[in-house]
Amino acid sequence: MKNRQNLIPFEKIRREWMRDPDIKREYEKLEPEFQIARALIDARVKKKMTQAEIAKKAKTKQPVISRLEGAVGSPSLSLIKRIAEVLNLRLIFRFEPR
């Protein structure tokens, strides 16, 4: 019999983390990056494009797209606009109350 690992669903771990006010505050600070990453991944998959294809058309490098999809760093507005253009998407920003 194979040695099986006990896997814990991410949502369960996330709920535990969110009980800690320090972790929750830091997680919420990163929410804009997470939203950009989710939107980019969803759009890229729907368009059936690779990171390299998007990078080439947006005049950047594939690792830049990878970092965006990994929610690492804060992209410039000009980069986000170029990526939206490549994906034939309209870019909408809005501020909402907390």
Side-chain angles (χ1 to χ4, degrees):
M1 186 168 168
K2 290 183 179 180
N3 185 8
R4 299 187 81 194
Q5 294 180 351
N6 291 328
L7 301 177
I8 302 169
F10 175 73
E11 191 52 40
K12 182 176 181 180
I13 294 169
R14 186 182 166 286
R15 278 194 306 269
E16 277 185 40
W17 288 346
M18 292 302 111
R19 289 186 193 132
D20 181 320
D22 293 332
I23 292 175
K24 184 176 181 179
R25 182 177 52 257
E26 294 304 313
Y27 185 88
E28 288 172 350
K29 282 182 188 177
L30 293 173
E31 186 59 28
E33 286 85 354
F34 292 147
Q35 288 179 6
I36 291 169
R38 280 191 299 269
L40 176 54
I41 292 166
D42 289 348
R44 182 174 63 76
V45 168
K46 285 179 185 169
K47 297 284 184 174
K48 297 179 181 169
M49 294 179 75
T50 66
Q51 290 178 347
E53 290 169 328
I54 291 173
K56 184 176 180 179
K57 291 181 179 187
K59 297 182 172 71
T60 190
K61 304 277 186 200
Q62 179 274 329
V64 172
I65 303 301
S66 178
R67 284 192 298 273
L68 285 176
E69 289 189 1
V72 178
S74 297
S76 68
L77 180 56
S78 65
L79 176 60
I80 293 173
K81 287 166 65 174
R82 290 194 318 265
I83 292 170
E85 182 70 26
V86 166
L87 294 168
N88 195 30
L89 298 172
R90 188 175 80 166
L91 187 58
I92 299 172
F93 286 99
R94 90 178 157 234
F95 293 96
E96 296 178 345
R98 293 179 190 229

